[in-house]
CSV table of all heavy atoms in Angstrom, one decimal:
chain,number,residue,atom,x,y,z
A,1,MET,N,-11.2,-40.8,-35.2
A,1,MET,CA,-11.7,-39.6,-34.8
A,1,MET,C,-13.2,-39.4,-35.0
A,1,MET,O,-13.8,-39.9,-36.1
A,1,MET,CB,-11.1,-38.3,-35.7
A,1,MET,CG,-11.6,-37.0,-35.5
A,1,MET,SD,-10.6,-35.6,-36.1
A,1,MET,CE,-10.8,-36.0,-37.8
A,2,ILE,N,-14.0,-38.8,-34.1
A,2,ILE,CA,-15.3,-38.5,-34.1
A,2,ILE,C,-15.5,-37.0,-34.3
A,2,ILE,O,-14.9,-36.3,-33.5
A,2,ILE,CB,-16.1,-39.0,-32.9
A,2,ILE,CG1,-17.7,-38.6,-33.1
A,2,ILE,CG2,-15.6,-38.7,-31.7
A,2,ILE,CD1,-18.4,-39.2,-34.2
A,3,ILE,N,-16.2,-36.6,-35.3
A,3,ILE,CA,-16.5,-35.1,-35.4
A,3,ILE,C,-18.1,-35.1,-35.1
A,3,ILE,O,-18.9,-35.7,-35.8
A,3,ILE,CB,-16.2,-34.6,-36.8
A,3,ILE,CG1,-14.8,-34.5,-37.0
A,3,ILE,CG2,-16.9,-33.1,-36.9
A,3,ILE,CD1,-14.3,-34.0,-38.3
A,4,PHE,N,-18.4,-34.4,-34.0
A,4,PHE,CA,-19.7,-34.4,-33.5
A,4,PHE,C,-20.7,-33.8,-34.5
A,4,PHE,O,-20.4,-32.7,-35.1
A,4,PHE,CB,-19.8,-33.4,-32.1
A,4,PHE,CG,-21.0,-33.5,-31.4
A,4,PHE,CD1,-21.2,-34.4,-30.2
A,4,PHE,CD2,-22.2,-32.7,-31.7
A,4,PHE,CE1,-22.4,-34.4,-29.6
A,4,PHE,CE2,-23.2,-32.8,-31.0
A,4,PHE,CZ,-23.4,-33.6,-30.0
A,5,PRO,N,-21.9,-34.5,-34.7
A,5,PRO,CA,-22.3,-35.6,-33.9
A,5,PRO,C,-22.0,-37.0,-34.5
A,5,PRO,O,-22.1,-38.0,-33.8
A,5,PRO,CB,-23.8,-35.5,-33.7
A,5,PRO,CG,-24.1,-34.8,-35.1
A,5,PRO,CD,-23.0,-33.8,-35.4
A,6,ASN,N,-21.8,-37.1,-35.8
A,6,ASN,CA,-22.0,-38.3,-36.5
A,6,ASN,C,-21.0,-38.6,-37.6
A,6,ASN,O,-21.4,-39.4,-38.6
A,6,ASN,CB,-23.5,-38.6,-36.9
A,6,ASN,CG,-23.8,-37.7,-38.1
A,6,ASN,OD1,-23.2,-36.6,-38.2
A,6,ASN,ND2,-24.7,-38.2,-39.0
A,7,LEU,N,-19.9,-38.0,-37.6
A,7,LEU,CA,-18.9,-38.4,-38.7
A,7,LEU,C,-17.7,-38.9,-38.1
A,7,LEU,O,-17.0,-38.4,-37.0
A,7,LEU,CB,-18.4,-36.9,-39.4
A,7,LEU,CG,-17.2,-37.1,-40.3
A,7,LEU,CD1,-17.5,-38.0,-41.4
A,7,LEU,CD2,-16.7,-35.7,-40.7
A,8,VAL,N,-17.4,-40.1,-38.5
A,8,VAL,CA,-16.2,-40.8,-38.0
A,8,VAL,C,-15.1,-41.0,-39.2
A,8,VAL,O,-15.5,-41.3,-40.3
A,8,VAL,CB,-16.6,-42.3,-37.5
A,8,VAL,CG1,-15.3,-43.1,-37.3
A,8,VAL,CG2,-17.4,-42.3,-36.3
A,9,ILE,N,-13.9,-40.6,-38.9
A,9,ILE,CA,-12.9,-40.8,-39.8
A,9,ILE,C,-11.9,-41.7,-39.2
A,9,ILE,O,-11.1,-41.2,-38.1
A,9,ILE,CB,-12.2,-39.5,-40.3
A,9,ILE,CG1,-13.3,-38.6,-41.0
A,9,ILE,CG2,-11.1,-39.7,-41.3
A,9,ILE,CD1,-12.8,-37.3,-41.5
A,10,ASN,N,-11.6,-42.9,-39.6
A,10,ASN,CA,-10.7,-43.8,-39.1
A,10,ASN,C,-9.5,-43.9,-40.1
A,10,ASN,O,-9.6,-44.4,-41.3
A,10,ASN,CB,-11.2,-45.2,-39.1
A,10,ASN,CG,-12.2,-45.2,-37.7
A,10,ASN,OD1,-12.0,-44.4,-36.8
A,10,ASN,ND2,-13.1,-46.3,-37.7
A,11,ASP,N,-8.4,-43.3,-39.8
A,11,ASP,CA,-7.2,-43.4,-40.6
A,11,ASP,C,-6.3,-44.4,-40.0
A,11,ASP,O,-5.3,-44.2,-39.2
A,11,ASP,CB,-6.4,-41.9,-40.6
A,11,ASP,CG,-5.2,-41.9,-41.4
A,11,ASP,OD1,-5.0,-43.0,-42.1
A,11,ASP,OD2,-4.5,-41.0,-41.4
A,12,ILE,N,-6.4,-45.8,-40.3
A,12,ILE,CA,-5.9,-46.8,-39.7
A,12,ILE,C,-5.1,-47.7,-40.8
A,12,ILE,O,-4.2,-47.1,-41.5
A,12,ILE,CB,-6.7,-47.6,-38.8
A,12,ILE,CG1,-8.0,-47.8,-39.5
A,12,ILE,CG2,-7.1,-46.7,-37.6
A,12,ILE,CD1,-9.0,-48.8,-38.8
A,13,MET,N,-5.3,-49.0,-40.9
A,13,MET,CA,-4.7,-49.7,-42.0
A,13,MET,C,-5.3,-49.3,-43.5
A,13,MET,O,-4.7,-49.6,-44.4
A,13,MET,CB,-4.8,-51.1,-41.7
A,13,MET,CG,-6.2,-51.8,-41.8
A,13,MET,SD,-7.2,-51.4,-40.4
A,13,MET,CE,-6.3,-52.4,-39.3
A,14,ALA,N,-6.4,-48.6,-43.3
A,14,ALA,CA,-7.0,-47.9,-44.5
A,14,ALA,C,-7.6,-46.7,-44.0
A,14,ALA,O,-7.8,-46.6,-42.8
A,14,ALA,CB,-7.9,-48.8,-45.3
A,15,ILE,N,-8.3,-45.9,-44.9
A,15,ILE,CA,-9.0,-44.7,-44.3
A,15,ILE,C,-10.6,-44.8,-44.7
A,15,ILE,O,-10.9,-45.2,-45.9
A,15,ILE,CB,-8.6,-43.4,-45.0
A,15,ILE,CG1,-7.2,-43.3,-44.8
A,15,ILE,CG2,-9.4,-42.2,-44.3
A,15,ILE,CD1,-6.5,-42.1,-45.4
A,16,THR,N,-11.4,-44.8,-43.6
A,16,THR,CA,-12.9,-44.9,-43.8
A,16,THR,C,-13.4,-43.6,-43.4
A,16,THR,O,-13.0,-43.0,-42.4
A,16,THR,CB,-13.5,-46.1,-43.2
A,16,THR,OG1,-14.8,-46.1,-43.3
A,16,THR,CG2,-13.2,-46.0,-41.6
A,17,VAL,N,-14.4,-43.2,-44.1
A,17,VAL,CA,-15.3,-42.0,-43.8
A,17,VAL,C,-16.7,-42.6,-43.5
A,17,VAL,O,-17.3,-43.1,-44.4
A,17,VAL,CB,-15.3,-41.0,-44.8
A,17,VAL,CG1,-16.2,-39.8,-44.4
A,17,VAL,CG2,-13.8,-40.5,-45.2
A,18,ARG,N,-17.2,-42.4,-42.4
A,18,ARG,CA,-18.4,-43.0,-42.0
A,18,ARG,C,-19.4,-42.0,-41.3
A,18,ARG,O,-19.0,-41.4,-40.4
A,18,ARG,CB,-18.2,-44.2,-41.0
A,18,ARG,CG,-19.4,-45.1,-40.6
A,18,ARG,CD,-18.9,-46.1,-39.6
A,18,ARG,NE,-18.1,-47.1,-40.2
A,18,ARG,CZ,-17.2,-47.8,-39.5
A,18,ARG,NH1,-16.9,-47.5,-38.3
A,18,ARG,NH2,-16.4,-48.8,-40.2
A,19,THR,N,-20.7,-42.1,-41.8
A,19,THR,CA,-21.7,-41.3,-41.2
A,19,THR,C,-22.8,-42.2,-40.8
A,19,THR,O,-23.0,-43.3,-41.5
A,19,THR,CB,-22.2,-40.1,-42.0
A,19,THR,OG1,-22.9,-40.7,-43.2
A,19,THR,CG2,-21.0,-39.2,-42.5
A,20,PHE,N,-23.6,-41.8,-39.8
A,20,PHE,CA,-24.7,-42.6,-39.5
A,20,PHE,C,-25.9,-41.7,-38.9
A,20,PHE,O,-25.6,-40.6,-38.4
A,20,PHE,CB,-24.3,-43.7,-38.4
A,20,PHE,CG,-23.2,-43.2,-37.4
A,20,PHE,CD1,-23.8,-42.7,-36.3
A,20,PHE,CD2,-22.0,-43.2,-37.8
A,20,PHE,CE1,-22.7,-42.2,-35.3
A,20,PHE,CE2,-21.0,-42.8,-36.9
A,20,PHE,CZ,-21.4,-42.3,-35.6
A,21,TYR,N,-27.1,-42.3,-38.9
A,21,TYR,CA,-28.2,-41.4,-38.4
A,21,TYR,C,-29.3,-42.4,-38.0
A,21,TYR,O,-29.6,-43.4,-38.4
A,21,TYR,CB,-28.8,-40.6,-39.6
A,21,TYR,CG,-29.9,-39.8,-39.1
A,21,TYR,CD1,-29.8,-38.6,-38.5
A,21,TYR,CD2,-31.4,-40.0,-39.5
A,21,TYR,CE1,-30.8,-37.8,-38.1
A,21,TYR,CE2,-32.4,-39.2,-39.1
A,21,TYR,CZ,-32.1,-38.1,-38.4
A,21,TYR,OH,-33.1,-37.2,-38.0
A,22,PRO,N,-29.8,-42.0,-36.8
A,22,PRO,CA,-30.9,-42.8,-36.2
A,22,PRO,C,-32.3,-42.8,-36.8
A,22,PRO,O,-32.7,-41.8,-37.2
A,22,PRO,CB,-31.1,-42.3,-34.7
A,22,PRO,CG,-30.7,-40.8,-34.9
A,22,PRO,CD,-29.6,-40.8,-35.9
A,23,THR,N,-32.7,-44.0,-37.0
A,23,THR,CA,-34.1,-44.1,-37.6
A,23,THR,C,-35.1,-44.4,-36.5
A,23,THR,O,-36.2,-44.3,-36.8
A,23,THR,CB,-34.2,-45.1,-38.7
A,23,THR,OG1,-33.7,-46.4,-38.2
A,23,THR,CG2,-33.3,-44.7,-39.9
A,24,ALA,N,-34.6,-44.8,-35.3
A,24,ALA,CA,-35.4,-45.1,-34.1
A,24,ALA,C,-34.4,-45.2,-33.0
A,24,ALA,O,-33.2,-45.2,-33.1
A,24,ALA,CB,-36.1,-46.5,-34.3
A,25,PRO,N,-34.9,-45.2,-31.7
A,25,PRO,CA,-34.1,-45.2,-30.6
A,25,PRO,C,-33.0,-46.4,-30.7
A,25,PRO,O,-32.0,-46.4,-30.1
A,25,PRO,CB,-34.9,-45.3,-29.3
A,25,PRO,CG,-36.2,-44.7,-29.8
A,25,PRO,CD,-36.3,-45.0,-31.3
A,26,ASP,N,-33.5,-47.6,-31.3
A,26,ASP,CA,-32.7,-48.8,-31.3
A,26,ASP,C,-32.3,-49.1,-32.8
A,26,ASP,O,-31.9,-50.3,-33.0
A,26,ASP,CB,-33.4,-49.9,-30.6
A,26,ASP,CG,-34.8,-50.2,-31.4
A,26,ASP,OD1,-35.2,-49.5,-32.4
A,26,ASP,OD2,-35.4,-51.3,-31.1
A,27,GLU,N,-32.2,-48.2,-33.6
A,27,GLU,CA,-31.8,-48.6,-35.1
A,27,GLU,C,-31.1,-47.3,-35.7
A,27,GLU,O,-31.5,-46.2,-35.4
A,27,GLU,CB,-33.0,-48.9,-35.8
A,27,GLU,CG,-32.5,-49.4,-37.3
A,27,GLU,CD,-33.7,-49.8,-38.1
A,27,GLU,OE1,-34.8,-49.2,-38.1
A,27,GLU,OE2,-33.7,-51.0,-38.7
A,28,MET,N,-30.1,-47.6,-36.5
A,28,MET,CA,-29.5,-46.5,-37.2
A,28,MET,C,-29.0,-47.1,-38.7
A,28,MET,O,-28.9,-48.3,-38.8
A,28,MET,CB,-28.1,-46.0,-36.5
A,28,MET,CG,-27.1,-47.2,-36.5
A,28,MET,SD,-25.5,-46.6,-35.5
A,28,MET,CE,-25.5,-47.8,-34.2
A,29,MET,N,-28.9,-46.1,-39.5
A,29,MET,CA,-28.5,-46.3,-40.9
A,29,MET,C,-27.0,-45.9,-41.1
A,29,MET,O,-26.8,-44.7,-40.6
A,29,MET,CB,-29.4,-45.7,-42.0
A,29,MET,CG,-30.7,-46.3,-41.9
A,29,MET,SD,-30.9,-48.1,-42.4
A,29,MET,CE,-30.1,-48.1,-44.0
A,30,ILE,N,-26.1,-46.5,-41.7
A,30,ILE,CA,-24.7,-46.2,-41.8
A,30,ILE,C,-24.4,-46.1,-43.3
A,30,ILE,O,-24.8,-46.9,-44.1
A,30,ILE,CB,-23.8,-47.3,-41.1
A,30,ILE,CG1,-24.2,-47.3,-39.6
A,30,ILE,CG2,-22.4,-46.9,-41.3
A,30,ILE,CD1,-25.0,-48.4,-39.3
A,31,ASN,N,-23.6,-45.0,-43.6
A,31,ASN,CA,-23.1,-44.8,-44.9
A,31,ASN,C,-21.5,-44.9,-44.7
A,31,ASN,O,-21.1,-44.0,-43.9
A,31,ASN,CB,-23.4,-43.6,-45.6
A,31,ASN,CG,-24.9,-43.8,-46.1
A,31,ASN,OD1,-25.3,-44.8,-46.5
A,31,ASN,ND2,-25.7,-42.8,-46.0
A,32,ALA,N,-20.7,-45.6,-45.3
A,32,ALA,CA,-19.3,-45.7,-45.1
A,32,ALA,C,-18.6,-45.5,-46.6
A,32,ALA,O,-19.0,-46.2,-47.6
A,32,ALA,CB,-18.8,-46.9,-44.4
A,33,PHE,N,-17.5,-44.8,-46.6
A,33,PHE,CA,-16.8,-44.6,-47.8
A,33,PHE,C,-15.3,-44.9,-47.6
A,33,PHE,O,-14.8,-44.5,-46.5
A,33,PHE,CB,-16.9,-43.3,-48.4
A,33,PHE,CG,-18.3,-42.7,-48.3
A,33,PHE,CD1,-18.9,-42.1,-47.2
A,33,PHE,CD2,-19.2,-42.8,-49.3
A,33,PHE,CE1,-20.1,-41.7,-47.1
A,33,PHE,CE2,-20.5,-42.4,-49.4
A,33,PHE,CZ,-21.1,-41.7,-48.1
A,34,ALA,N,-14.6,-45.4,-48.6
A,34,ALA,CA,-13.1,-45.6,-48.4
A,34,ALA,C,-12.4,-44.3,-49.1
A,34,ALA,O,-12.9,-43.8,-50.1
A,34,ALA,CB,-12.6,-46.8,-49.2
A,35,LEU,N,-11.5,-43.9,-48.4
A,35,LEU,CA,-10.7,-42.6,-48.9
A,35,LEU,C,-9.3,-43.1,-49.2
A,35,LEU,O,-8.7,-43.8,-48.4
A,35,LEU,CB,-10.8,-41.5,-47.7
A,35,LEU,CG,-10.2,-40.2,-48.3
A,35,LEU,CD1,-11.1,-39.4,-49.1
A,35,LEU,CD2,-10.1,-39.3,-46.9
A,36,GLY,N,-8.7,-42.6,-50.3
A,36,GLY,CA,-7.3,-42.9,-50.7
A,36,GLY,C,-6.7,-41.8,-51.2
A,36,GLY,O,-7.3,-40.8,-51.6
A,37,VAL,N,-5.3,-41.9,-51.3
A,37,VAL,CA,-4.4,-41.0,-52.0
A,37,VAL,C,-4.7,-41.0,-53.5
A,37,VAL,O,-4.7,-42.0,-54.1
A,37,VAL,CB,-3.0,-41.3,-51.7
A,37,VAL,CG1,-2.1,-40.3,-52.5
A,37,VAL,CG2,-2.7,-41.2,-50.2
A,38,ALA,N,-5.0,-39.7,-54.1
A,38,ALA,CA,-5.4,-39.8,-55.5
A,38,ALA,C,-4.5,-40.3,-56.5
A,38,ALA,O,-4.8,-40.8,-57.4
A,38,ALA,CB,-5.8,-38.3,-55.8
A,39,ASP,N,-3.2,-40.1,-56.2
A,39,ASP,CA,-2.1,-40.5,-57.2
A,39,ASP,C,-1.3,-41.7,-56.7
A,39,ASP,O,-0.3,-41.9,-57.2
A,39,ASP,CB,-1.1,-39.2,-57.5
A,39,ASP,CG,-0.3,-38.9,-56.3
A,39,ASP,OD1,-0.8,-39.3,-55.1
A,39,ASP,OD2,0.7,-38.3,-56.3
A,40,GLU,N,-1.8,-42.5,-55.8
A,40,GLU,CA,-1.1,-43.6,-55.3
A,40,GLU,C,-0.9,-44.7,-56.4
A,40,GLU,O,-1.8,-44.8,-57.3
A,40,GLU,CB,-1.6,-44.3,-54.0
A,40,GLU,CG,-3.0,-44.8,-54.2
A,40,GLU,CD,-3.6,-45.2,-52.7
A,40,GLU,OE1,-2.8,-45.1,-51.7
A,40,GLU,OE2,-4.7,-45.6,-52.7
A,41,SER,N,0.0,-45.5,-56.3
A,41,SER,CA,0.3,-46.6,-57.2
A,41,SER,C,-0.8,-47.6,-57.2
A,41,SER,O,-1.5,-47.7,-56.2
A,41,SER,CB,1.7,-47.3,-57.0
A,41,SER,OG,1.7,-47.8,-55.8
A,42,GLU,N,-0.8,-48.5,-58.2
A,42,GLU,CA,-1.7,-49.6,-58.2
A,42,GLU,C,-1.4,-50.6,-57.0
A,42,GLU,O,-2.4,-51.1,-56.4
A,42,GLU,CB,-1.6,-50.4,-59.5
A,42,GLU,CG,-2.6,-51.5,-59.7
A,42,GLU,CD,-2.5,-52.1,-61.0
A,42,GLU,OE1,-1.8,-51.6,-62.0
A,42,GLU,OE2,-2.9,-53.3,-61.3
A,43,TRP,N,-0.1,-50.7,-56.8
A,43,TRP,CA,0.2,-51.6,-55.6
A,43,TRP,C,-0.3,-51.0,-54.3
A,43,TRP,O,-1.0,-51.8,-53.5
A,43,TRP,CB,1.7,-51.7,-55.6
A,43,TRP,CG,2.3,-52.5,-54.3
A,43,TRP,CD1,2.3,-53.8,-54.3
A,43,TRP,CD2,2.5,-52.0,-53.0
A,43,TRP,NE1,2.7,-54.3,-53.0
A,43,TRP,CE2,2.9,-53.1,-52.2
A,43,TRP,CE3,2.6,-50.8,-52.5
A,43,TRP,CZ2,3.3,-53.0,-50.9
A,43,TRP,CZ3,3.0,-50.7,-51.1
A,43,TRP,CH2,3.4,-51.7,-50.4
A,44,ARG,N,-0.2,-49.8,-54.0
A,44,ARG,CA,-0.7,-49.1,-52.8
A,44,ARG,C,-2.2,-49.2,-52.7
A,44,ARG,O,-2.7,-49.5,-51.7
A,44,ARG,CB,-0.2,-47.7,-52.7
A,44,ARG,CG,1.3,-47.6,-52.3
A,44,ARG,CD,1.8,-46.2,-52.3
A,44,ARG,NE,1.2,-45.4,-51.2
A,44,ARG,CZ,1.1,-44.1,-51.1
A,44,ARG,NH1,1.6,-43.4,-52.2
A,44,ARG,NH2,0.7,-43.5,-50.0
A,45,ARG,N,-2.8,-49.0,-53.8
A,45,ARG,CA,-4.3,-49.0,-53.9
A,45,ARG,C,-4.8,-50.4,-53.6
A,45,ARG,O,-5.8,-50.5,-52.9
A,45,ARG,CB,-4.7,-48.4,-55.2
A,45,ARG,CG,-6.4,-48.4,-55.4
A,45,ARG,CD,-7.1,-47.5,-54.3
A,45,ARG,NE,-6.6,-46.2,-54.2
A,45,ARG,CZ,-7.1,-45.1,-55.0
A,45,ARG,NH1,-8.1,-45.4,-55.8
A,45,ARG,NH2,-6.6,-44.0,-54.8
A,46,GLU,N,-4.1,-51.4,-54.2
A,46,GLU,CA,-4.6,-52.7,-53.9
A,46,GLU,C,-4.6,-53.1,-52.5
A,46,GLU,O,-5.6,-53.6,-51.9
A,46,GLU,CB,-3.7,-53.7,-54.8
A,46,GLU,CG,-4.1,-55.1,-54.4
A,46,GLU,CD,-3.0,-56.2,-55.2
A,46,GLU,OE1,-2.3,-55.7,-55.9
A,46,GLU,OE2,-3.2,-57.4,-54.9
A,47,TYR,N,-3.5,-52.7,-51.8
A,47,TYR,CA,-3.3,-53.0,-50.3
A,47,TYR,C,-4.3,-52.1,-49.5
A,47,TYR,O,-4.8,-52.6,-48.5
A,47,TYR,CB,-1.9,-52.9,-49.9
A,47,TYR,CG,-1.1,-54.2,-50.2
A,47,TYR,CD1,-0.2,-54.3,-51.2
A,47,TYR,CD2,-1.3,-55.3,-49.4
A,47,TYR,CE1,0.6,-55.3,-51.4
A,47,TYR,CE2,-0.6,-56.4,-49.6
A,47,TYR,CZ,0.3,-56.5,-50.6
A,47,TYR,OH,1.1,-57.7,-51.0
A,48,ARG,N,-4.4,-51.0,-50.0
A,48,ARG,CA,-5.4,-50.1,-49.2
A,48,ARG,C,-6.9,-50.6,-49.2
A,48,ARG,O,-7.5,-50.8,-48.1
A,48,ARG,CB,-5.4,-48.7,-49.8
A,48,ARG,CG,-6.5,-47.8,-49.1
A,48,ARG,CD,-6.3,-46.3,-49.8
A,48,ARG,NE,-5.1,-45.7,-49.8
A,48,ARG,CZ,-4.6,-45.1,-48.9
A,48,ARG,NH1,-5.3,-44.9,-47.7
A,48,ARG,NH2,-3.5,-44.6,-49.0
């Protein structure tokens, strides 16, 4: 999913929250974070 203009949430084999911002027409900076279930087991967290 893209939330305009620059938030991406990919809920796929894991969940990533990603934002980005242009520093020039041909360059951008990206920040990405992993999101997980707060109470998941050690096993699920490892695979995530």
Side-chain angles (χ1 to χ4, degrees):
M1 178 168 62
I2 177 70
I3 295 178
F4 189 94
N6 68 330
L7 171 62
V8 169
I9 298 178
N10 288 340
D11 180 9
I12 45 179
M13 68 285 292
I15 305 175
T16 182
V17 179
R18 182 183 293 147
T19 63
F20 38 94
Y21 183 74
T23 56
D26 61 351
E27 185 178 50
M28 65 183 118
M29 296 297 301
I30 298 95
N31 290 319
F33 315 87
L35 189 71
V37 174
D39 64 345
E40 65 188 352
S41 69
E42 184 177 343
W43 177 87
R44 290 174 70 199
R45 180 60 58 88
E46 178 184 351
Y47 276 104
R48 180 183 300 280

